[in-house]
Amino acid sequence: MKPLGRLRLGVNIDHVATVRNARGSAYPDPVRAAKLAEEAGADGITAHLREDRRHISDADIDGLMASLTTPLNFEMAATEEMQAIALRHRPHAVCIVPERREERTTEGGLEVAREENRLAHFIAPLRDAGCRVSIFIAADQKQIEAAHRIGAQVIELHTGAYCDFHAEGHFDKRDAELARLRDMAAFAHSLGLEVHAGHGLTYDTVVPVAAMPEVMELNIGHFLIGEAIFRGLQPAIREMRRLMDEARA
Ligand code: PXP
């Protein structure tokens, strides 16, 4: 199968805010990072307003909505508070993620199948407000079917396990996870869902995911913000873009 189209890069700027918040200062400013990311070729900006506001703040979302020229992908937990914020801003996309206060990062995908009714009611007003609704899930057929049934337009496949297996040198497990991601990207596409992917991607792991023909968007943050320390934010993003384009060619 030929790729369905140009692969979009969403740059997640959460960890610019993490560095800022480590000192309670006003810098580095995630909105400034987002503008630089756009100039460097990001097709969109992703930001996760967590319940505990550990990185992105409400004011950051105000700033992003006021100044971005590319679409904002607003990551949020399925809570009433976040729904109200999303409905106020009406970002281009909302990505519903699981959230636990004690976790260091979003560790798994959303359990859609277990909460189908609640989630169907939860996302309906967001869709009605014009947001594209994406659900962050593991590469699991049951979850994909449930995401489709509740009326999501997009799923984002969690690439964290694949990246962890690579980093730990468990290459058999990595390849098995990659095969699962590939199969489930094709399955989700066959249901009419738009397929995105992300979490933990680096220069070493991005190529096989970018090569999946059904995947239309990658959301990448932590690695790029780290790499920016060494080569600058824009060169770090341009190199990711180059690898994605090469994988797609
Ligand atoms: N996609 C989703 C749904 C996420 O929750 C995150 C992390 O906030 C990412 C992508 C980006 O992951 P990373 O920062 O590891 O690149």
Side-chain angles (χ1 to χ4, degrees):
M1 178 174 168
K2 270 177 48 181
L4 291 175
R6 184 175 178 275
L7 181 61
R8 294 191 300 269
L9 171 61
V11 173
N12 179 317
I13 42 83
D14 290 352
H15 296 299
V16 177
T18 303
V19 175
R20 175 193 62 195
N21 295 1
R23 290 285 292 271
S25 54
Y27 64 86
D29 175 12
V31 178
R32 182 176 168 202
K35 299 298 294 171
L36 287 171
E38 287 181 325
E39 279 174 32
D43 301 288
I45 299 298
T46 293
H48 183 179
L49 184 66
R50 292 187 74 103
E51 261 187 293
D52 62 8
R53 310 299 199 269
R54 71 173 71 156
H55 37 57
I56 293 294
S57 68
D58 297 69
D60 293 330
I61 298 295
D62 294 343
L64 291 168
M65 283 302 296
S67 47
L68 292 185
T69 54
T70 59
L72 176 66
N73 175 33
F74 179 69
E75 284 183 14
M76 53 180 261
T79 65
E80 276 181 29
E81 182 201 15
M82 289 301 149
Q83 189 192 51
I85 293 171
L87 289 173
R88 183 150 44 80
H89 286 296
R90 298 175 180 229
H92 165 80
V94 295
C95 181
I96 314 294
V97 301
E99 209 175 284
R100 286 188 295 122
R101 270 173 195 266
E102 64 274 20
E103 71 190 356
R104 258 193 296 178
T105 181
T106 314
E107 283 166 1
L110 197 69
E111 264 295 332
V112 198
R114 210 186 289 154
E115 280 200 282
E116 213 171 304
N117 262 342
R118 184 178 89 81
L119 287 170
H121 284 103
F122 184 82
I123 68 171
L126 296 165
R127 273 193 67 151
D128 292 346
C131 301
R132 278 181 79 68
V133 176
S134 170
I135 311 279
F136 188 47
I137 49 178
D140 175 337
Q141 182 164 337
K142 205 171 67 174
Q143 302 299 339
I144 294 169
E145 286 167 345
H148 181 242
R149 279 195 300 270
I150 66 171
Q153 295 117 312
V154 182
I155 56 150
E156 179 164 331
L157 292 174
H158 197 314
T159 51
Y162 154 68
C163 293
D164 287 347
F165 288 139
H166 177 84
E168 292 157 6
H170 297 311
F171 298 131
D172 289 351
K173 288 184 179 167
R174 174 199 63 187
D175 294 345
E177 183 62 23
L178 200 55
R180 224 149 65 92
L181 287 163
R182 207 174 278 126
D183 290 349
M184 290 301 110
F187 175 68
H189 174 68
S190 76
L191 295 180
L193 289 160
E194 182 172 317
V195 183
H196 299 176
H199 208 282
L201 291 169
T202 67
Y203 295 152
D204 288 339
T205 51
V206 73
V207 167
V209 182
M212 294 177 193
E214 299 86 0
V215 174
M216 298 297 291
E217 179 174 307
L218 299 181
N219 286 300
I220 308 180
H222 186 249
F223 173 80
L224 286 174
I225 304 306
E227 190 63 14
I229 294 169
F230 303 105
R231 43 172 121 194
L233 183 60
Q234 292 190 318
I237 291 170
R238 286 196 195 102
E239 175 62 7
M240 190 61 84
R241 181 75 254 177
R242 189 187 69 75
L243 290 167
M244 287 165 57
D245 290 340
E246 222 174 68
R248 211 70 170 175

